[in-house]
Amino acid sequence: MSFFKKLKEKISNQTESVTDKFRDGLTKTRDSFSGRVNDLVARYRKVDEDFFEELEEILIQADVGFGTVMELIDELKMEVKRQNIKDSSQMQSVISEKLVEIYEGSGEEKSSLNVQENGLTVILFVGVNGVGKTTTIGKLAYKLKSEGKSVMMAAGDTFRAGAIDQLEVWGDRVGVSVIKQAEGSDPAAVMYDAIQAAKSRGADILLCDTAGRLQNKVNLMKELEKVKRVIEREIPGAPHEVLLVLDATTGQNALIQAKTFKEATDVTGIVLTKLDGTAKGGIVLAIRNELNIPVKFVGLGERMDDLQEFDPDKYVYGLFADLVEEESAE
Ligand SMILES: Nc1nc2c(ncn2[C@@H]2O[C@H](COP(=O)(O)OP(=O)(O)OP(=O)(O)O)[C@@H](O)[C@H]2O)c(=O)[nH]1
């Protein structure tokens, strides 16, 4: 059975609306990246060296990342030999299978959040301004609340003008309390207050915003260390997640940001926003493979329910949805 048929079977027993979100959110990447792969397959009947050379170029332009592309091309060449593939029309299915393998092979960690069974779970959000951090916190608050959790937010970005108000707007929209202090106050003090409030109200999850200054790595490191120290002192083992928010439309720049944050603090997961806004959705693979940090959530649109847990099967389905449907219907 081809990988596409297996994929269709696998995702068929999952929530259709979530699969649809991946398909719709990845439309730009599908039109561009997958469109070019389809065109390549149509032009080359044989899978030869020229075919691989062009494929390499397409993958690099989709922001899959140089190292990951080289790894992928090597794997594909071996697979073509192993299966003795002569006809290029099977290649989209083989490429998809290898994309999932590369993603999953980069680590065992699951994309689900590390939520405590008992007691308060603290999630810290880091990332530069404008990547969609506040929106992500709002969307995640909505999601967790819909799952029956009691959620609170801490307005730890006391640096950027308007950041506290923006978080409060989300708090009102979602129906979640926001613990804040005046602009310019010490973020660690905000965290302390927020933890006390969350504990006394018996909240399940505290989502903490932080400032996204990157100009000075030493300061960023110091600030995050202080915030983490306060959180850890109040709740041993916390923060339970440090999620780095990256904007998919910034491409390789997102990778550079990620490297800096990774050096400044222990990042446990990535949230990749605005994946719907780029034709270069291959960045997911570059991030996973080159940084060794799992992509926990992806932003697939502006709506409240457009933040989805990342899943490599659904991602690959989004890339080749038409072909998967076509093959499965045969
Ligand atoms: N299309 C799309 N837009 C998004 C997504 N996530 C966030 N946005 C938009 O990106 C813009 C910036 O998001 P903000 O949340 O304001 O940015 P921010 O990172 O909070 O800024 P800071 O608080 O300075 O860190 C907003 O217009 C959001 O609606 C997404 O997944 N898809």
Side-chain angles (χ1 to χ4, degrees), residues 210-317:
T210 63
R213 280 171 287 175
L214 197 65
Q215 294 85 337
N216 184 332
K217 201 165 81 186
V218 177
N219 282 350
L220 173 79
M221 224 183 287
K222 275 193 190 147
E223 182 165 312
L224 290 177
E225 257 169 30
K226 188 172 173 195
V227 162
K228 279 180 78 176
R229 210 165 45 235
V230 169
I231 295 174
E232 200 168 17
R233 199 179 58 214
E234 296 310 307
I235 303 177
H240 304 94
E241 292 273 7
V242 178
L243 299 182
L244 170 62
V245 185
L246 298 172
D247 178 343
T249 65
T250 61
Q252 296 301 309
N253 228 329
L255 266 177
I256 296 167
Q257 281 170 25
K259 282 179 187 149
T260 308
F261 273 94
K262 203 180 157 186
E263 285 164 22
T265 189
D266 295 322
V267 178
T268 59
I270 305 277
V271 181
L272 195 59
T273 64
K274 309 181 203 177
L275 198 53
D276 57 306
T278 179
K280 299 180 168 208
I283 190 72
V284 176
L285 292 151
I287 285 175
R288 178 68 184 110
N289 202 35
E290 286 173 34
L291 297 169
N292 251 314
I293 306 173
V295 177
K296 297 225 168 183
F297 292 95
V298 285
L300 296 168
E302 297 225 41
R303 288 177 32 182
M304 232 172 343
D305 59 353
D306 283 339
L307 185 75
Q308 293 291 336
E309 240 170 58
F310 182 73
D311 175 79
D313 288 330
K314 291 182 200 125
Y315 167 74
V316 161
Y317 173 77

Side-chain angles (χ1 to χ4, degrees), residues 63-228:
D63 264 345
V64 173
F66 189 73
T68 312
V69 171
M70 292 304 134
E71 197 180 316
L72 185 64
I73 294 283
D74 281 350
E75 290 281 331
L76 285 169
K77 284 183 177 168
M78 278 197 281
E79 196 61 27
V80 164
K81 232 185 217 163
R82 204 176 61 79
Q83 291 189 34
N84 198 16
I85 292 172
K86 294 270 185 285
D87 184 353
S88 67
S89 67
Q90 293 168 51
M91 285 309 285
Q92 290 99 327
S93 177
V94 178
I95 291 168
S96 299
E97 185 170 9
K98 289 292 160 198
L99 290 178
V100 173
E101 267 181 35
I102 281 209
Y103 186 90
E104 289 181 339
S106 305
E108 293 289 305
E109 316 93 325
K110 287 213 298 283
S111 58
S112 55
L113 277 183
N114 175 21
V115 173
Q116 302 302 104
E117 297 237 341
N118 298 302
L120 182 63
T121 298
V122 181
I123 302 176
L124 202 60
F125 290 82
V126 300
V128 303
N129 291 337
V131 290
K133 200 152 28 93
T134 312
T135 310
T136 296
I137 295 174
K139 284 175 176 172
L140 191 62
Y142 168 78
K143 185 178 164 63
L144 293 167
K145 215 185 152 200
S146 327
E147 291 168 8
K149 299 268 190 295
S150 87
V151 182
M152 285 175 71
M153 305 196 223
D157 184 355
T158 58
F159 183 74
R160 180 172 71 86
I164 300 169
D165 293 345
Q166 207 188 331
L167 199 66
E168 280 198 302
V169 169
W170 271 103
D172 288 344
R173 199 178 291 166
V174 183
V176 159
S177 309
V178 178
I179 305 301
K180 58 166 187 176
Q181 286 187 10
E183 209 177 293
S185 56
D186 183 352
V190 179
M191 296 306 163
Y192 179 83
D193 276 2
I195 288 176
Q196 301 314 318
K199 272 186 183 167
S200 72
R201 295 185 211 174
D204 299 316
I205 296 177
L206 179 65
L207 304 176
C208 307
D209 196 7
T210 63
R213 280 171 287 175
L214 197 65
Q215 294 85 337
N216 184 332
K217 201 165 81 186
V218 177
N219 282 350
L220 173 79
M221 224 183 287
K222 275 193 190 147
E223 182 165 312
L224 290 177
E225 257 169 30
K226 188 172 173 195
V227 162
K228 279 180 78 176

